[in-house]
Amino acid sequence: MSPVDIRIEGGRPPLAPPPRPRASWHLRANAVVVGWLALTVVAALAGDVLPAPRWLLIHVFLLGAISTAILIWSEHFTVALLRVRTPPGRGSLARLGLLNAGAVAVLAGVSAGPWQVAAAGAAVVAGVVLWHAAVLVTLVRQALPGRFGHVIGWYVAAPVALATGGVLGGLLAADVGHGAAHERMQAAHAVVNLFGWIGLTVLGTLFTLWPTVLRTRMADGTRRASRLGLRLAVPGLAVATGGLLAGWRWVALAGLVAYAAGALAALVPLADALRRRRPHTGAAWMLGAAIAWFEVALVANAVVVATRPAAGVAAALEPLLPLVLVGFVAQVLFGSLLHLLPAVLGGGPARFKENAALLERGWPARLAALNLGVPLLVLPVPSPVVLLGWALVLGSAVAFVALAVTALTRARPASWPSLPAVAGVAAGCLLTAAAVVVATTGGTGPAKVTVTGSRTVEVTLSGMSIRPAVIEAPPGTVLTLRVTNADAQRHDLRLATGERTPALAPGQSATLKLAALGAAVDGWCTVAGHRAAGMTMRIVPTGTDTSAHTGGHDDGHAAAHPSGPARLDLAAPMSPGWTPYDATLRPAPGGTEHHVEIRADDKVVQEVAPGVRQRVWTFNGTMPGPVLRGKVGDVFVVTFVNGGTMGHGIDFHAGATAPDGPMRTIQPGERLTYRFRAEFAGAWLYHCSTMPMTQHIANGMYGAVVIDPPGLPPVDREYLLVQGELYLGEPGSEAQVGKMRAGEPDGWMFNGAAAGYDHAPLRAEAGERVRLWAVAAGPSSGTSLHVVGAPFDTVYKEGAYALRSGDPGGAQTLDLAPAQGGFAELVFPEPGKYPVVDHTMRQAEAGAHGLFEVSGS
């Protein structure tokens, strides 16, 4: 029995490592972990010559070294603690190989493209860890009841967390979600992976590993603390992840508090062990320091979530990553391997002592260097001090890797079971991963480009454009981009080579330093719809084509758009539970001052045609938004709240006011007061004022203001139809915006649904006078409103009567250009069904039609 077995008889771990001639095959696979650690050092030293330097460094370490180590050791600890038969080596080897292959695919896909490779790799990783969790559950069911079964719950929950993080990572690689949604997804991805996959595994392992390393007995309340901690930590992590994804800051904070409470409950037995025995080995000191940094990371993460909007969490967490990755994760790995590797390598007591002495050589200096380097990487210190921090951290890592490689190479291969299989997996995975790291610095990439000079370029983000749109520089030039947001809404800049700014508020700036220029590089703003609206740039070596698009970096967005509108099945039934927009126009309320709150929301899903649901952008959750009605001279005080995920504004055509104040774009969570006096009668449009307005209006952000003409006579019924264009697809996507630019809607709608009033007819009685108000919201087409079988005897358009009841003439249509409004009156002669259509037949046949169902009086 050896310390690696974690079998604690009578509550006390073994104090000496007896001979162990053979070890289970997967323990030998720690060579793969050491190899990934070596690649991590290479990626760190390569620095800015990599296409995505920071991202690649983090994922080589976490997805490669850490995930491989967790897969190996959690299975082994489960076998040892439950005292069950080791699972078949073939399956374990397959999981190890697939995990590493998936990791390599993620690294290659994100670094060099296409994104589909990265997404497939993320799917493989998620599948492997769920398979791993299923194997652990099977082992639990095979085992007899024991003292340590509670630990396995942590090992089973951790893969579920990584599977969740893997799905989010795949979506990020595919560039699903833009702007604030992308940032929220990135924050959730980081939290669920670091505190779930890694944090849960480490907490579960420390229940047995920590007293073993200290060579003392386990605390009596360990099982109770473990169960309590798991019941708090897992739901807390789920709530925190969901809260970050949804943008609910306080929900996310509550989840993190619950997770922290679970972690503290789990750490109570560790503190009890520490009171009985102080650390006396390098492994113990490193694990103790890692626990301390873990607690600091939890507090720092909670503070960030509590003080930042959800979309800003990812950017705020980024400077804290060294604290988590180096202080916590790296030290846990180093401390664990420092203790476990000598037993794994076998060779008897003499070889055990020799390997232990080798691995602990100079551990006080390595410990001090690593823990001194952490704050230097996190705190806002001058660049030379940051470089010192990197030197300390990497020096400690390099020393450990060198010692571990020495111990591994001098171990006797003859004692290694399944050596060819393990060696094959190790060599295949590591050589491929090394090729990814090297290839992303070579080939057509920047590593083979000789530096010829440097240049700083001022880049401005404003008015749906990036200026300059094209930057030309000689090959080999190292460009530094000083990016400033000069617009009234948030923007960012992302480059196809991986560099990106955070979301920049108006007036904010950021600096991007590129590798030596070797090939054309595309850049764009990631806020929803901004790239499609033309907010792009291109960096090209002098003498190359400035118009061609670089391959592999289009994020799945095609510039092409369909040649014509999609065919909608307008005769199909609406979905069960669908509720039509209430077209009934109610009389103006009393009083001369009207207070209303209008809330922007870009997350609403609405049925826009029979059986067709899609995300729309709305005011007060409906398309069109709420109707405001009053009389000439009335004052409207509108509290405008941005409850969406991007900047929005509002523009009331009925008011006369300078637009640069009340019509300005406000950011998520902000509000403003818009006050206007209705000086003129008419049917007026209001809409989102944020650029690109075409997208904001076409996706649903419009409504009507009705100001009664003086002396407006009463009628039996009043209805309002706001006609808008329908563009199917994800709002802001390249395909959808392409149709908007070409003026090719997929359909036309009355009050937010194509053919909606065919399925929910408007009601009237024969002989009643009906006033039909209309506003053409566009954004690009008007309407020629016509009721089949019932001519209009009154027409009021754009503030003036064109026809009054009692005049000898009549009218066939109420014709309105985009953004115009008015009303027409008619009397239905007899019961029946009267179609109401836009007599622009193309538009009527694509959804701009409905029915009046007229009953007998």
Side-chain angles (χ1 to χ4, degrees):
M1 189 183 303
S2 76
V4 79
D5 287 315
I6 317 295
R7 292 182 182 139
I8 304 179
E9 306 293 346
R12 182 177 294 276
L15 299 179
R20 183 181 179 88
R22 297 180 65 85
S24 58
W25 73 268
H26 58 279
L27 297 180
R28 303 296 182 181
N30 281 283
V32 182
V33 179
V34 175
W36 278 110
L37 285 174
L39 283 177
T40 302
V41 174
V42 171
L45 294 175
D48 289 338
V49 302
L50 298 174
R54 189 177 181 88
W55 183 93
L56 197 63
L57 170 62
I58 292 170
H59 285 75
V60 166
F61 177 54
L62 292 182
L63 197 54
I66 299 301
S67 294
T68 300
I70 290 176
L71 201 72
I72 294 169
W73 288 106
S74 60
E75 180 180 301
H76 174 69
F77 288 161
T78 299
V79 170
L81 293 171
L82 297 180
R83 301 189 181 187
V84 294
R85 186 186 300 273
T86 300
R90 184 175 300 176
S92 299
L93 181 63
R95 288 189 292 277
L96 179 65
L98 286 172
L99 176 75
N100 282 266
V104 170
V106 171
L107 297 176
V110 173
S111 299
W115 67 262
Q116 288 88 345
V117 173
V124 169
V125 170
V128 168
V129 296
L130 290 177
W131 180 13
H132 173 70
V135 170
L136 299 187
V137 170
T138 301
L139 293 176
V140 171
R141 290 176 176 174
Q142 293 174 351
L144 295 173
R147 297 183 57 213
F148 305 109
H150 61 88
V151 172
I152 315 307
W154 297 84
Y155 292 162
V156 172
V160 176
L162 181 59
T164 304
V167 170
L168 294 175
L171 294 175
L172 288 168
D175 207 19
V176 174
H178 299 270
H182 186 94
E183 298 298 325
R184 295 199 307 269
M185 195 181 300
Q186 194 170 15
H189 169 73
V191 167
V192 75
N193 282 339
L194 289 172
F195 293 129
W197 174 234
I198 298 172
L200 294 177
T201 301
V202 170
L203 288 171
T205 301
L206 287 175
F207 288 118
T208 52
L209 182 62
W210 179 245
T212 302
V213 169
L214 292 180
R215 302 193 184 281
T216 186
R217 64 179 179 83
M218 290 177 60
D220 295 334
T222 296
R223 181 185 302 182
R224 183 174 61 256
S226 172
R227 290 175 174 171
L228 174 61
L230 188 64
R231 289 168 183 168
L232 289 171
V234 171
L237 183 65
V239 170
T241 304
L244 289 171
L245 282 174
W248 300 334
R249 180 201 305 178
W250 300 113
V251 172
L253 180 62
L256 286 174
V257 170
Y259 178 91
L264 289 174
L267 293 176
V268 168
L270 278 61
D272 184 72
L274 185 63
R275 283 194 295 269
R276 289 192 301 272
R277 184 74 181 271
R278 297 295 177 86
H280 56 286
T281 63
W285 276 103
M286 282 194 170
L287 288 174
I291 295 169
W293 284 118
F294 177 66
E295 294 173 347
V296 173
L298 281 176
V299 173
N301 193 70
V303 169
V304 166
V305 171
T307 57
R308 298 287 195 281
V313 170
L317 287 177
E318 191 169 336
L320 301 177
L321 281 176
L323 185 153
V324 181
L325 300 181
V326 179
F328 170 49
V329 180
Q331 284 201 110
V332 164
L333 182 63
F334 293 161
S336 300
L337 292 179
L338 204 61
H339 177 77
L340 297 170
L341 270 181
V344 169
L345 296 176
R351 180 58 60 88
F352 174 90
K353 291 180 180 180
E354 184 180 345
N355 286 330
L358 171 67
L359 291 172
E360 291 215 347
R361 187 176 299 170
W363 71 261
R366 287 186 278 142
L367 176 74
L370 193 146
N371 285 279
L372 180 59
V374 171
L376 299 184
L377 298 179
V378 174
L379 297 175
V381 295
S383 297
V385 180
V386 175
L387 290 176
L388 173 61
W390 277 113
L392 292 170
V393 168
L394 291 177
S396 179
V398 168
F400 176 82
V401 170
L403 294 172
V405 169
T406 302
L408 287 167
T409 54
R410 75 184 188 184
R412 290 179 299 173
S415 68
W416 286 27
S418 303
L419 181 62
V422 176
V425 170
C429 294
L430 293 175
L431 287 176
T432 307
V436 169
V437 175
V438 174
T440 54
T441 68
T444 59
K448 290 187 177 181
V449 178
T450 302
V451 175
T452 59
S454 61
R455 177 181 163 197
T456 298
V457 180
E458 300 289 341
V459 176
T460 302
L461 313 177
S462 180
M464 290 300 111
S465 65
I466 302 176
R467 298 191 300 270
V470 177
I471 299 173
E472 291 188 274
T477 302
V478 176
L479 288 171
T480 299
L481 306 184
R482 282 208 294 257
V483 185
T484 301
N485 181 11
D487 210 349
Q489 60 177 307
R490 287 180 180 269
H491 294 294
D492 62 4
L493 177 60
R494 177 176 179 177
L495 301 179
T497 44
E499 297 87 354
R500 65 179 301 172
T501 71
L504 299 175
Q508 284 188 332
S509 299
T511 300
L512 299 178
K513 184 175 182 181
L514 284 65
L517 185 62
V521 178
D522 287 313
W524 61 91
C525 178
T526 67
V527 177
H530 289 194
R531 183 182 185 186
M535 203 167 184
T536 61
M537 70 174 299
R538 188 170 175 80
I539 304 170
V540 294
T542 304
T544 61
D545 183 7
T546 64
S547 61
H549 188 78
T550 54
H553 294 295
D554 64 356
D555 287 351
H557 298 304
H561 55 79
S563 59
R567 290 190 178 274
L568 300 171
D569 185 2
L570 300 177
M574 302 299 284
S575 300
W578 170 75
T579 302
Y581 185 97
D582 187 0
T584 303
L585 184 61
R586 290 163 180 79
T592 59
E593 186 167 292
H594 312 290
H595 292 259
V596 63
E597 180 175 290
I598 295 182
R599 184 179 186 87
D601 190 345
D602 46 45
K603 303 181 289 295
V604 175
V605 176
Q606 179 171 315
E607 187 160 3
V608 294
V612 179
R613 291 172 59 82
Q614 78 168 40
R615 187 162 68 94
V616 292
W617 300 347
T618 64
F619 291 126
N620 284 11
T622 62
M623 176 176 67
V627 179
L628 279 61
R629 192 172 190 183
K631 300 181 184 297
V632 174
D634 285 0
V635 173
F636 292 83
V637 181
V638 180
T639 301
F640 178 55
V641 181
N642 188 352
T645 61
M646 67 189 83
H648 292 296
I650 195 165
D651 173 9
F652 288 95
H653 289 193
T657 182
D660 52 348
M663 299 182 198
R664 69 183 184 273
T665 296
I666 62 173
Q667 300 307 316
E670 295 180 348
R671 61 176 59 210
L672 62 76
T673 299
Y674 192 132
R675 180 186 179 94
F676 68 92
R677 182 183 300 276
E679 301 285 2
F680 303 100
W684 303 86
L685 177 69
Y686 71 87
H687 59 85
C688 183
S689 59
T690 297
M691 292 292 290
M693 284 190 211
T694 300
Q695 293 181 41
H696 286 254
I697 297 173
N699 281 308
M701 304 194 83
Y702 55 81
V705 177
V706 174
I707 305 300
D708 293 347
L712 183 69
V715 294
D716 297 301
R717 297 177 191 262
E718 287 187 279
Y719 290 108
L720 169 67
L721 297 180
V722 182
Q723 183 170 321
E725 298 163 4
L726 170 60
Y727 294 91
L728 299 178
E730 177 63 19
S733 67
E734 197 77 41
Q736 191 204 46
V737 175
K739 290 183 285 187
M740 293 178 189
R741 287 178 170 176
E744 295 177 345
D746 294 296
W748 281 262
M749 305 174 290
F750 287 152
N751 291 347
Y757 295 122
D758 281 5
H759 304 276
L762 305 175
R763 304 291 177 178
E765 292 186 4
E768 287 185 333
R769 174 164 291 276
V770 176
R771 181 176 293 135
L772 184 60
W773 292 82
V775 173
S780 300
S781 58
T783 184
S784 182
L785 200 64
H786 171 70
V787 176
V788 180
F792 299 139
D793 62 19
T794 302
V795 173
Y796 179 92
K797 171 185 170 183
E798 287 295 283
Y801 283 96
L803 177 69
R804 288 179 182 267
S805 175
D807 291 346
Q812 304 165 70
T813 66
L814 171 61
D815 60 314
L816 302 171
Q820 289 189 338
F823 68 81
E825 294 179 9
L826 69 159
V827 176
F828 291 103
E830 59 185 357
K833 293 183 177 179
Y834 295 77
V836 53
V837 302
D838 178 349
H839 215 282
T840 310
M841 283 294 106
R842 171 175 176 255
Q843 298 178 186
E845 292 164 359
H849 59 79
L851 288 173
F852 273 99
E853 194 167 276
V854 179
S855 60
S857 57

